[in-house]
Amino acid sequence: MRLVSLFLLTTAAACAQPFSFGIKGGLPMTDFLDAARSQNLSSTAYTNRYIVGPTAELRLPFGLGVEFDVLYRHFGYASTGLLSGVTSTITNSNTTSNAWEFPLLAKYRFHGKLFRPFVDAGVSWDKLSGLTQTVTRTVASVTNTSTTSSPAELANDTSRGFVMGGGIDVKVLLIHLSPEVRYTHWGSSHFVDPIGLISSKKNQAEFLLGITF
């Protein structure tokens, strides 16, 4: 009988911990890459202004919770170089990639009825996928094109970092709206250009809006 009572109490406690899921989207507040120029070489970089992916959270007692997200973003960069001599060489490269971010966060919600401020912190992993660089080289009016998934400036296709953020949880009927500003410091750079034209930033800021049920 004691075992049955213990089982029922454990089951009730587990059911009392709500599990929420939904979608999270937002805007990067910082660029993914830094680009530079030199006398004969130049680079430009872009970061698509969206972040999106699924989110899930286990809500624990006393305002605590554990959140896990899968966030997608897309970026790219291009480089142009001109080497003058007896025969001029023009080199153009265009690189695109997807980046998948996997934050695992501990969360604390402050007390409130409709509006509950919250803070969160944890660790995040970042993984590049679909990286493609196309290089077009023209020498004496002869053009050659090649592609690679491992450009010379690629230092790490994965990275791990520390995450912290804060926002407000707003309950509207059965839906929770959670605007948030989140900061991540990565432990290593994805890109380190040997000649210094392209480098990835270690500090990242994002504005995110979660919609969960």
Side-chain angles (χ1 to χ4, degrees):
M1 190 66 182
R2 290 182 178 178
L3 291 177
V4 174
S5 299
L6 180 61
F7 173 77
L8 293 176
L9 289 174
T10 304
T11 303
C15 293
Q17 315 308 324
F19 178 80
S20 64
F21 63 92
I23 189 170
K24 193 177 288 285
L27 302 170
M29 299 170 66
T30 55
D31 291 326
F32 193 82
L33 299 168
D34 278 325
R37 294 172 177 266
S38 65
Q39 183 175 0
N40 296 318
L41 302 171
S42 65
S43 292
T44 58
Y46 68 87
T47 302
N48 285 8
R49 294 299 167 186
Y50 64 84
I51 304 169
V52 66
T55 181
E57 181 182 349
L58 176 63
R59 297 188 178 181
L60 302 173
F62 310 112
L64 300 175
V66 178
E67 179 180 328
F68 181 71
D69 307 325
V70 179
L71 302 177
Y72 167 82
R73 63 187 184 276
H74 184 78
F75 68 93
Y77 59 93
S79 300
T80 300
L82 172 62
L83 298 178
S84 301
V86 177
T87 302
S88 297
T89 301
I90 302 174
T91 303
N92 296 301
S93 68
N94 186 65
T95 307
T96 60
S97 181
N98 306 312
W100 295 90
E101 187 178 339
F102 305 93
L104 178 62
L105 306 171
K107 178 179 285 188
Y108 176 74
R109 285 182 176 83
F110 297 92
H111 293 291
K113 293 183 178 180
L114 296 178
F115 302 91
R116 299 190 65 181
F118 66 85
V119 292
D120 51 28
V123 64
S124 183
W125 295 265
D126 196 66
K127 171 67 176 177
L128 302 183
S129 69
L131 175 63
T132 303
Q133 183 176 85
T134 302
V135 179
T136 302
R137 184 173 289 106
T138 302
V139 182
S141 301
V142 178
T143 300
N144 293 311
T145 301
S146 61
T147 60
T148 181
S149 59
S150 299
E153 59 271 17
L154 178 63
N156 302 283
D157 63 353
T158 60
S159 184
R160 183 175 61 184
F162 169 75
V163 187
M164 62 184 299
I168 300 175
D169 185 350
V170 183
K171 186 176 181 181
V172 182
L173 298 178
L174 299 177
I175 299 175
H176 287 264
L177 302 178
S178 304
E180 175 187 3
V181 174
R182 187 178 292 179
Y183 165 79
T184 305
H185 177 75
W186 299 108
S188 59
S189 298
H190 284 301
F191 296 94
V192 180
D193 193 345
I195 58 177
L197 292 181
I198 288 290
S199 61
S200 51
K201 295 185 176 181
K202 287 188 176 183
N203 295 311
Q204 172 184 310
E206 303 163 336
F207 171 77
L208 300 170
L209 174 64
I211 303 174
T212 56
F213 303 89

